[in-house]
Amino acid sequence: MAKLPVSVHPRVVIVGGGFAGTELAKKLSKASLQVVLIDKNNYYTFQPLLYQVATAGLNAPSIVYPYRKILEKGNDTFFRLAEVEAVDPVNRIIETSIGLVQYDYLVIATGATTNYYGNEQIEQHAIAMKSVEDALMLRNTIICNFEKALQVGDEEQLNSLMDFVIVGGGPTGVEIAGALSELRKHVFPKDYKELDFIKMDIHLIQSGDHLLKGMSHAASTEALQFLQEAGVQVWLNRRVKSFDGYTVLLDNGEKLITRTLIWAAGVTGAPIKGLDPACITSGNRLKVDVYNRVAGYENIFALGDIAEMITAENPDGYPMLAQPALQQGRLLGANLPKLIAGKPLKPFVYTDKGSLATIGRNKAVADVKIFNKEIRTQGYFAWLIWLFVHLFSIIGFKNRLLVFINWIWNYLSYDAVMRVIIGTKKENVPVEKVTDKVLV
Amino acid sequence: MAKLPVSVHPRVVIVGGGFAGTELAKKLSKASLQVVLIDKNNYYTFQPLLYQVATAGLNAPSIVYPYRKILEKGNDTFFRLAEVEAVDPVNRIIETSIGLVQYDYLVIATGATTNYYGNEQIEQHAIAMKSVEDALMLRNTIICNFEKALQVGDEEQLNSLMDFVIVGGGPTGVEIAGALSELRKHVFPKDYKELDFIKMDIHLIQSGDHLLKGMSHAASTEALQFLQEAGVQVWLNRRVKSFDGYTVLLDNGEKLITRTLIWAAGVTGAPIKGLDPACITSGNRLKVDVYNRVAGYENIFALGDIAEMITAENPDGYPMLAQPALQQGRLLGANLPKLIAGKPLKPFVYTDKGSLATIGRNKAVADVKIFNKEIRTQGYFAWLIWLFVHLFSIIGFKNRLLVFINWIWNYLSYDAVMRVIIGTKKENVPVEKVTDKVLV
């Protein structure tokens, strides 16, 4: 049994503590409701900076925050560390790894998972970029590759360790490619004097004909420009057909040799079992109305990446980004108490604050709205906007301070000092065993 | 083959980058020698603060530092990530996980490993406190225990999750016990409102009749006093006979129920295979002369915990602490170039700077020498000395700054915000499975 205190208030169970779920939980913790937040981690993750954890610029603890700390002040607010397995809408019960939980209102904010488009071989060998564990695994793998590279003689082996292939030309892919090129330029040559970093190739593979789909033409062309100046090899209109942990096969038959394939090529919804198939879209998301109510249910809601809200004004739904999630969480936080009080609800209206992507030191692209003024800028000013926006989106003053100090430090020292191997790494095809006993 | 550049200089291979090995490598990187530091991690660990990582006060990256960064400036200085398997003194070769390495001078600074006194059952179920991975595992285990405690009904199960047994009354044991009592008092009750922390027991088991063996009588009695005031149950003159992951059996037949046994009961040497048994002591350490030269060898040295230096003035050898290790590393750094230049060597003379242990907020015990004045103090002033000494022993200005900010923050907020579960945890006897489907 999942032990939870009995309450005089109706119980709202929120599944998933991403941008949407956390924002909602914070809002509702002040209302006269019993709030139960369930997540498989005990900490909130600020996903936009995962790539900096992966590239040794930040340490993981400074971009995460314990849920229990976030919800501390709520008197009838609870957190449970659990995986949700299924929902029984008729009896208003969810099945979790810690037992059954009764709900009056259920909010599904499970977000999206990495989409490998059914290719299990790629899923097995690639590294995704959705969680802190992913980011740390990538960091450990990158560093171990260079440590191993010091030991191999054979050129192809060397390339397989020193080359990196990133799949997906969205913000994550672009930002990782940029960060890797910075490490190649400023950090790794100091660490590995014996290696020739001319040999380190960074490939970015994008299925479409431009980067940063969804951003302005200026943004995508400038991003491409910046990456190419940084020596990143960008392949447009290409798809990865297979990856066995060593050879990447592209759709045009070309091959790339690498042990490290970073998969940032797309996400898909992850709905909970037990819901009426009629409410699930082709993209595995949940159809919701303008109040984020899941189609066909009175007391089940969906927020953020998992929710697909299609209206006349907005036939394609909203992008799977932080802003729609945050805004939907905030609105439902206001609507739920109204619903319970029998007051009319406010429909969702999306305020597009624009998007940003950084390509490393002093370089970013920005399509933003500031005081309702559309600003499209690339380069240094965009980079400052990026820094500002991200710094102030981090939860917890201390984390913000620590990230700020790290950024200043890394900027001035051209360094990324978090290059320590702690935890697991990806072991693809083993590096050629040491056979000869020749000494050098 | 372990690829290393050919050098005109003699090659010094240092095995182990603890206090001694790192200090030596830093010193020698300025000499006309080829220096090769080998360690199984790619980062230096500031061990005295491991317990704060374990108790969520600090994050791991702020007490570690990449070796490659430490050795950056040396032109003929190299780091290799490897495990050393054996030494062949005749041919001056060591066998490592990355192949054979030739040396002209070998320095063994492999430190000490946790001593389970041959009890494999305890080794399997206990958590040690020697590495960052240990500390993170303990942190994850502690937090997971409380998350599980929310789900169990049975009283004994609850105790097994909420109680902690620490074995060993040295600085590590005392400091962990103190930190846990702080968490019980200030942090956990806020996080787990549903749990009654009167039920959380912290047991400290010490085989001898006083704590902090090697420190003054005043220090040990005050430490005991402080711990008892903090509600830690200290058991003197007790030994642990067995631990199966659930039940701790003491030598007097008493039993304690816990899933978390923290083993800080002693260390033992870890010498490399291939050395003449005649130079290995009963405590698995290496006999060295006053120049840290291993008995019977001209070009093999041992430093720190692994070295046992016994002289007329010093019949018991030096304590296995940071100070002897640092001082021996520093001295050998000066002696090796002299040896090569055929100049007379300086014998080791230990400067005892005293010892410190903290028992939590505002409380520590100190037997220290300041300007050659013996100072024995307990309480607030000792705590300030502890803070000062540890802060300035941390490598890297940035780490020092981050630790400082964290300490100020935790002190003012009575908080320890690093309580996130990232990485592995200890799974002892599984928590009673959820059977009944009753809802609460």
Side-chain angles (χ1 to χ4, degrees):
Chain A
M1 63 181 172
K3 287 168 66 187
L4 280 165
V6 189
S7 171
V8 294
H9 304 128
R11 178 185 293 168
V12 181
V13 174
I14 304 165
V15 183
F19 284 112
T22 303
E23 184 69 17
L24 176 64
K26 279 196 290 181
K27 284 257 167 292
L28 291 183
S29 64
K30 302 184 195 91
S32 18
L33 285 163
Q34 183 176 60
V35 181
V36 182
L37 175 64
I38 300 177
D39 197 279
K40 59 182 186 298
N41 291 316
N42 80 324
Y43 54 87
Y44 162 90
T45 304
F46 187 63
Q47 286 203 3
L49 290 178
L50 277 178
Y51 85 95
Q52 290 202 9
V53 171
T55 50
L58 288 175
N59 58 54
S62 54
I63 68 158
V64 304
Y65 208 73
Y67 287 122
R68 294 191 176 280
K69 179 80 184 157
I70 295 173
L71 304 177
E72 209 171 57
K73 291 189 177 57
N75 302 324
D76 204 359
T77 309
F78 301 91
F79 171 76
R80 286 298 181 267
L81 183 68
E83 305 244 12
V84 174
E85 285 140 11
V87 55
D88 171 357
V90 179
N91 302 304
R92 302 187 285 109
I93 292 171
I94 54 168
E95 278 175 40
T96 79
S97 52
I98 57 169
L100 304 178
V101 180
Q102 180 92 61
Y103 65 82
D104 297 303
Y105 298 91
L106 177 65
V107 181
I108 301 168
T110 46
T113 57
T114 306
N115 190 356
Y116 294 97
Y117 306 98
N119 189 321
E120 283 170 14
Q121 190 207 31
I122 292 176
E123 182 167 3
Q124 184 198 334
H125 293 107
I127 298 177
M129 195 46 54
K130 286 293 289 178
S131 71
V132 170
E133 308 273 357
D134 289 340
L136 290 174
M137 180 187 277
L138 177 55
R139 179 200 291 184
N140 293 339
T141 307
I142 293 168
I143 302 167
C144 285
N145 282 358
F146 289 116
E147 294 294 338
K148 290 174 185 164
L150 294 169
Q151 302 312 321
V152 298
D154 172 69
E155 271 298 311
E156 188 184 285
Q157 288 265 325
L158 195 64
N159 288 328
S160 74
L161 290 161
M162 292 184 73
D163 295 356
F164 297 87
V165 176
I166 302 148
V167 187
T172 305
V174 166
E175 293 183 326
I176 292 176
L180 277 175
S181 72
E182 295 278 315
L183 289 171
R184 175 175 60 184
K185 191 172 172 192
H186 301 298
V187 178
F188 290 148
K190 277 186 271 168
D191 268 6
Y192 304 95
K193 299 192 184 73
E194 304 102 299
L195 296 176
D196 175 6
F197 281 89
I198 301 288
K199 291 180 182 165
M200 175 178 169
D201 298 325
I202 305 164
H203 300 278
L204 178 63
I205 295 167
Q206 162 71 325
S207 56
D209 62 2
H210 64 283
L211 299 171
L212 301 173
K213 187 161 154 286
M215 286 187 75
S216 65
H217 178 73
S220 23
T221 47
E222 271 303 307
L224 178 62
Q225 180 76 27
F226 287 147
L227 285 172
Q228 284 168 337
E229 283 165 9
V232 174
Q233 298 175 45
V234 182
W235 306 88
L236 298 172
N237 302 308
R238 290 268 184 289
R239 290 172 185 281
V240 171
K241 276 180 75 175
S242 71
F243 176 58
D244 59 5
Y246 191 82
T247 307
V248 184
L249 177 63
L250 302 181
D251 55 358
N252 66 340
E254 281 177 42
K255 284 180 181 168
L256 298 168
I257 300 296
T258 186
R259 289 166 187 280
T260 318
L261 184 85
I262 301 150
W263 191 259
V267 291
T268 179
I272 302 172
K273 268 183 277 144
L275 292 171
D276 176 2
C279 70
I280 299 170
T281 70
S282 52
N284 260 319
R285 298 166 73 189
L286 299 172
K287 287 182 202 153
V288 297
D289 63 16
V290 291
Y291 310 107
N292 282 98
R293 199 189 310 242
V294 176
Y297 297 100
E298 276 308 302
N299 60 342
I300 302 180
F301 297 81
L303 299 173
D305 287 358
I306 188 70
E308 186 171 273
M309 189 186 293
I310 286 175
T311 58
E313 313 77 67
N314 176 49
D316 312 326
Y318 297 108
M320 291 162 88
L321 297 171
Q323 275 308 319
L326 274 168
Q327 293 173 28
Q328 288 175 0
R330 205 168 297 141
L331 179 66
L332 190 60
N335 274 340
L336 258 183
K338 286 182 189 164
L339 181 72
I340 291 157
K343 295 186 193 139
L345 308 186
K346 212 161 149 285
F348 181 69
V349 181
Y350 178 47
T351 328
D352 185 356
K353 294 187 173 175
S355 1
L356 295 154
T358 174
I359 300 95
R361 207 176 177 78
N362 303 340
K363 290 195 179 67
V365 294
D367 302 339
V368 289
K369 272 214 186 94
I370 301 175
F371 309 118
N372 283 322
K373 257 185 93 348
E374 284 248 10
I375 296 174
R376 289 182 177 180
T377 173
Q378 301 87 32
Y380 189 70
F381 182 56
W383 182 73
L384 290 179
I385 298 174
W386 184 93
L387 284 180
F388 184 84
V389 168
H390 284 75
L391 195 58
F392 286 89
S393 312
I394 295 168
I395 286 191
F397 176 78
K398 190 176 122 207
N399 280 4
R400 206 171 289 159
L401 180 64
L402 295 179
V403 168
F404 183 65
I405 292 170
N406 272 296
W407 279 353
I408 301 246
W409 193 274
N410 297 345
Y411 187 79
L412 298 177
S413 65
Y414 288 83
D415 208 342
V417 95
M418 298 301 159
R419 45 192 193 273
V420 294
I421 305 163
I422 299 175
T424 55
K425 57 183 188 288
K426 196 87 180 178
E427 287 290 6
N428 279 325
V429 186
V431 175
E432 221 165 56
K433 265 261 145 286
V434 179
T435 47
D436 55 318
K437 293 288 187 184
V438 184
L439 287 158
V440 178
Chain B
M1 61 181 172
K3 289 167 67 186
L4 280 165
V6 188
S7 171
V8 295
H9 305 127
R11 179 185 293 168
V12 181
V13 174
I14 304 165
V15 183
F19 284 113
T22 302
E23 185 68 16
L24 175 64
K26 278 196 289 182
K27 284 257 167 294
L28 290 183
S29 64
K30 301 183 193 94
S32 27
L33 285 163
Q34 183 176 59
V35 181
V36 181
L37 176 64
I38 299 177
D39 197 279
K40 59 181 188 300
N41 291 317
N42 79 326
Y43 54 86
Y44 162 91
T45 304
F46 187 62
Q47 286 203 3
L49 291 178
L50 277 178
Y51 85 95
Q52 290 201 8
V53 171
T55 51
L58 288 175
N59 59 55
S62 54
I63 68 158
V64 303
Y65 207 73
Y67 287 122
R68 295 193 174 277
K69 179 78 186 160
I70 295 172
L71 305 177
E72 209 172 57
K73 291 189 176 56
N75 303 324
D76 204 357
T77 310
F78 301 90
F79 171 75
R80 286 296 181 270
L81 183 69
E83 305 243 12
V84 174
E85 284 140 12
V87 54
D88 171 357
V90 179
N91 302 305
R92 301 188 286 110
I93 291 171
I94 54 168
E95 278 176 40
T96 79
S97 53
I98 58 170
L100 304 178
V101 180
Q102 180 92 60
Y103 65 82
D104 298 303
Y105 298 90
L106 177 64
V107 182
I108 302 168
T110 45
T113 57
T114 307
N115 190 356
Y116 294 97
Y117 306 98
N119 189 321
E120 285 171 12
Q121 190 207 30
I122 292 177
E123 183 167 3
Q124 184 197 333
H125 293 107
I127 298 178
M129 194 45 54
K130 286 294 289 178
S131 70
V132 169
E133 309 273 358
D134 289 339
L136 290 174
M137 180 187 280
L138 177 54
R139 178 200 291 182
N140 294 338
T141 307
I142 293 168
I143 302 168
C144 285
N145 282 358
F146 289 115
E147 294 294 338
K148 289 173 185 164
L150 294 170
Q151 303 312 322
V152 297
D154 171 70
E155 270 301 310
E156 188 185 287
Q157 288 265 325
L158 195 64
N159 288 328
S160 74
L161 290 162
M162 291 184 73
D163 295 355
F164 297 88
V165 176
I166 302 148
V167 187
T172 305
V174 166
E175 294 183 324
I176 291 175
L180 276 175
S181 71
E182 295 279 315
L183 289 171
R184 175 176 59 186
K185 192 172 170 190
H186 301 297
V187 178
F188 290 149
K190 277 186 271 166
D191 267 6
Y192 304 94
K193 299 191 185 76
E194 304 102 298
L195 297 175
D196 174 8
F197 282 88
I198 300 288
K199 290 180 184 166
M200 175 178 169
D201 297 325
I202 304 164
H203 300 278
L204 178 62
I205 296 166
Q206 162 71 325
S207 56
D209 62 2
H210 63 285
L211 299 171
L212 301 172
K213 187 162 153 284
M215 286 188 77
S216 64
H217 178 73
S220 24
T221 47
E222 271 303 306
L224 179 61
Q225 181 75 28
F226 288 148
L227 285 172
Q228 284 169 337
E229 283 165 9
V232 174
Q233 299 175 45
V234 183
W235 306 87
L236 298 173
N237 302 307
R238 288 271 183 287
R239 289 173 185 279
V240 171
K241 277 179 76 176
S242 70
F243 176 58
D244 59 6
Y246 190 81
T247 306
V248 185
L249 178 63
L250 303 181
D251 55 358
N252 65 341
E254 281 176 43
K255 285 181 179 169
L256 297 168
I257 299 296
T258 186
R259 289 164 187 281
T260 317
L261 184 85
I262 301 150
W263 192 260
V267 291
T268 178
I272 303 172
K273 268 184 278 145
L275 292 172
D276 176 1
C279 70
I280 299 171
T281 70
S282 53
N284 260 320
R285 297 166 73 189
L286 300 171
K287 288 180 201 153
V288 298
D289 63 15
V290 290
Y291 309 107
N292 283 97
R293 199 190 309 243
V294 175
Y297 297 101
E298 276 308 302
N299 62 340
I300 302 180
F301 298 80
L303 299 173
D305 288 358
I306 189 71
E308 185 172 274
M309 188 186 293
I310 286 172
T311 58
E313 313 76 68
N314 176 49
D316 313 326
Y318 297 107
M320 291 163 86
L321 297 171
Q323 276 306 319
L326 274 167
Q327 293 173 29
Q328 288 175 0
R330 205 169 295 140
L331 180 66
L332 190 60
N335 275 340
L336 259 181
K338 286 182 188 164
L339 181 72
I340 290 158
K343 294 186 191 137
L345 308 186
K346 210 160 149 285
F348 181 68
V349 181
Y350 178 46
T351 329
D352 185 356
K353 295 186 174 175
S355 8
L356 296 154
T358 175
I359 301 97
R361 205 176 179 80
N362 303 342
K363 290 196 180 66
V365 294
D367 301 339
V368 290
K369 272 213 187 96
I370 301 175
F371 308 120
N372 283 321
K373 260 185 83 3
E374 285 249 9
I375 295 175
R376 290 182 176 180
T377 172
Q378 301 87 34
Y380 187 69
F381 182 56
W383 182 73
L384 289 179
I385 298 173
W386 185 93
L387 284 180
F388 184 85
V389 168
H390 284 76
L391 195 58
F392 285 90
S393 312
I394 295 168
I395 286 190
F397 176 77
K398 189 177 123 207
N399 280 5
R400 206 171 290 158
L401 180 64
L402 296 180
V403 168
F404 183 64
I405 291 170
N406 272 296
W407 280 352
I408 301 244
W409 192 274
N410 296 346
Y411 187 79
L412 297 178
S413 65
Y414 289 82
D415 207 343
V417 94
M418 298 303 159
R419 44 192 193 274
V420 294
I421 304 163
I422 299 175
T424 54
K425 59 183 187 288
K426 196 88 181 175
E427 287 289 8
N428 279 323
V429 186
V431 175
E432 222 167 53
K433 267 262 145 286
V434 179
T435 45
D436 54 317
K437 293 289 190 183
V438 183
L439 287 158
V440 178

